[in-house]
Amino acid sequence: MLYAIISEDVPNSLSKRVAARPAHVVRLQDLQDAGRLIIAGPHPAIDSDNPAEAGFTGSLIVAEFSDLAAAQAWADADPYIEQGVYAKVTVKPFKKVFPQ
């Protein structure tokens, strides 16, 4: 089943994000290589693909996991959590309807 991992950053998270990003991306690449990643990316703090110093306010990941517990465990082990980037992470089942 698919799960949405919706994360909210702490204020002024950019320097923490930059430091933890390589390890964060490796985990996403592993999901992609396994054919389980649907979409992943950050929420820019401003209306721009490249927000520079404005940074980001959170992230969204939609990926396939065996169950909610597995999705939660994967989310809990994110380097962004370990480095204090995320203030809050919500994991929910997700039903993809479109595109078909």
Side-chain angles (χ1 to χ4, degrees), residues 9 12-15 17-18 21 41-59:
D9 282 20
N12 303 310
S13 63
L14 187 57
S15 63
R17 271 183 171 270
V18 169
R21 189 174 189 279
H43 301 285
I46 60 173
D47 191 12
S48 172
D49 284 341
N50 185 7
E53 283 76 35
F56 301 91
T57 62
S59 300

Side-chain angles (χ1 to χ4, degrees), residues 7-8 15 17 19-20 22 26 28 35 56 61 67 78:
S7 307
E8 297 176 30
S15 63
R17 271 183 171 270
V26 165
L28 292 171
F56 301 91
I61 298 167
D67 55 33
D78 195 305

Side-chain angles (χ1 to χ4, degrees), residues 22-94:
H24 174 77
V25 170
V26 165
R27 297 178 79 237
L28 292 171
Q29 187 65 55
D30 289 345
L31 282 178
Q32 182 174 320
D33 292 348
R36 297 170 41 207
L37 183 62
I38 304 303
I39 192 168
H43 301 285
I46 60 173
D47 191 12
S48 172
D49 284 341
N50 185 7
E53 283 76 35
F56 301 91
T57 62
S59 300
L60 171 65
I61 298 167
V62 177
E64 183 179 350
F65 293 92
S66 59
D67 55 33
L68 181 58
Q72 186 69 59
W74 188 90
D76 289 345
D78 195 305
Y80 280 179
I81 290 178
E82 295 169 5
Q83 296 299 315
V85 174
Y86 291 153
K88 178 181 177 185
V89 178
T90 303
V91 180
K92 300 179 179 187
F94 180 80

